[in-house]
Amino acid sequence: MKIAISGKGGVGKTMLASLLSVVLAESGYSVLAIDADPNINLAAAFGLPNSDEIIPISRMDDLIEERTGARPGQMAPYFKLNPKVDDLPEKCSLQYDGIKIMVMGPVKAAGTGCYCPEGALLQALVSHLLLEANQVVILDMEAGIEHLTRGTAKGVDKLIIVVEPSMRSVSTGRRVRDLALEIGLQSIGVVANKIRSEREKDFLTAKMADFEFLGFIPYDEAMVEADLAGLPLVNSSARVMAEVRSIAARLDKLK
Ligand SMILES: Nc1ncnc2c1ncn2[C@@H]1O[C@H](COP(=O)(O)OP(=O)(O)O)[C@@H](O)[C@H]1O
Ligand SMILES: [Mg+2]
């Protein structure tokens, strides 16, 4: 199963990616979490030390050249579009409790017509990684889903759009869904995050009545505290962890 997570900046994509990874790992899955957001912070959400010193794969020029035939920034007329990636999760990942974390780093958007080598490598990772039955890939994406192209979408099974109670996050959520449908991704669920009241929950269910909701994560000050103190988001709030567990259970039922 490959799950992509998208939504407006700050809504809680990285929070959900890290907590969902932990929950799925607890239930026996072998999890590969990929940070594909240019603002690298997934490793920090797990509380990995020195996460700000991680060299993202998109900056590993030698590796990218070895796999694609071109260096980042080089507009080579030809590079391999199907680079070998199967060994990368083993070679280029950090570990948290058995969860593999890969940091892609900034990659130019595929939609801009730039077929850069680092983009080709990310695309190959998403679409060509062969998974065994008990393996899950979780993609922490940036606000848009520009990285997802028709080719990548084939590899993604489910898209989770994260929203918070704000009109802007709803608009972004709609835009993300339109893009996703355009490239043929149909299994799409919404996770509402930072919910403080029934009113906020009702706001989202009314504004997004045509979406399938996977769950409603409460706003918990403990998450903000963790963030301010530079502590991991994982396990900082029992209430939030509990809701992520039920979201994980509902994922299987998503069409
Ligand atoms: N349920 C929640 N309650 C309170 N704060 C939250 C919650 N979820 C996320 N946050 C906080 O919101 C901020 C943004 O979350 P993050 O996961 O980094 O968003 P994104 O990856 O979408 O940009 C972080 O400071 C995080 O601690
Ligand atoms: Mg993020």
Side-chain angles (χ1 to χ4, degrees):
M1 187 166 52
K2 289 180 190 165
I3 306 165
I5 302 181
S6 186
K8 195 177 89 63
V11 289
K13 297 178 294 292
T14 299
M15 176 282 295
L16 184 63
S18 58
L19 271 56
L20 199 55
S21 296
V22 168
V23 164
L24 291 172
E26 277 170 6
S27 45
Y29 283 101
S30 148
V31 181
L32 169 63
I34 303 180
D35 189 348
D37 191 322
N39 295 312
I40 298 162
N41 54 13
L42 183 60
F46 284 100
L48 293 182
N50 308 109
S51 51
D52 48 345
E53 288 162 24
I54 296 168
I55 297 173
I57 293 171
S58 66
R59 299 247 166 75
M60 297 180 179
D61 294 8
D62 292 342
L63 175 80
I64 290 171
E65 182 169 26
E66 176 202 309
R67 298 306 164 101
T68 67
R71 295 178 86 75
Q74 201 181 329
M75 284 314 293
Y78 305 107
F79 54 85
K80 288 195 208 103
L81 284 170
N82 289 323
K84 174 177 151 68
V85 288
D86 285 334
D87 57 331
L88 294 185
E90 212 48 65
K91 275 191 187 151
C92 306
S93 64
L94 308 158
Q95 295 267 348
Y96 171 89
D97 258 7
I99 298 167
K100 289 194 180 73
I101 303 160
M102 284 179 88
V103 179
M104 259 334 280
V107 171
K108 286 212 192 74
T112 60
C114 153
Y115 293 101
C116 51
E118 63 272 34
L121 199 66
L122 172 64
Q123 187 155 328
L125 261 177
V126 177
S127 46
H128 299 310
L129 263 191
L130 294 177
L131 300 186
E132 285 163 27
N134 70 331
Q135 289 182 316
V136 175
V137 174
I138 296 182
L139 265 173
D140 179 8
M141 312 269 287
E142 60 186 322
I145 52 166
E146 282 79 8
H147 287 336
L148 283 181
T149 58
R150 243 167 245 284
T152 338
K154 271 192 220 124
V156 173
D157 304 303
K158 293 172 199 292
L159 172 67
I160 302 179
I161 298 174
V162 184
V163 293
E164 62 185 10
S166 81
M167 217 38 240
R168 280 179 54 218
S169 85
V170 171
S171 323
T172 305
R174 290 200 167 278
R175 190 175 62 84
V176 169
R177 182 174 69 169
D178 290 348
L179 282 170
L181 291 172
E182 235 169 71
I183 58 173
L185 233 171
Q186 281 173 342
S187 189
I188 303 171
V190 177
V191 167
N193 185 31
K194 304 192 189 183
I195 302 296
R196 296 172 206 243
S197 63
E198 277 305 307
R199 185 159 170 265
E200 291 188 339
K201 185 176 170 182
D202 294 345
F203 167 85
L204 287 172
T205 44
K207 291 284 178 214
M208 303 182 88
D210 50 333
F211 283 74
E212 181 153 351
F213 280 85
L214 294 168
F216 299 84
I217 302 176
Y219 181 92
D220 190 336
E221 204 62 46
M223 305 282 278
V224 181
E225 293 298 327
D227 199 74
L228 293 180
L231 294 170
L233 295 180
V234 164
N235 290 323
S236 68
S237 159
R239 285 198 295 149
V240 171
M241 288 302 289
E243 184 59 15
V244 174
R245 279 193 189 93
S246 68
I247 289 167
R250 267 178 231 128
L251 261 181
D252 276 338
K253 297 185 194 87
L254 193 64
K255 289 184 292 295

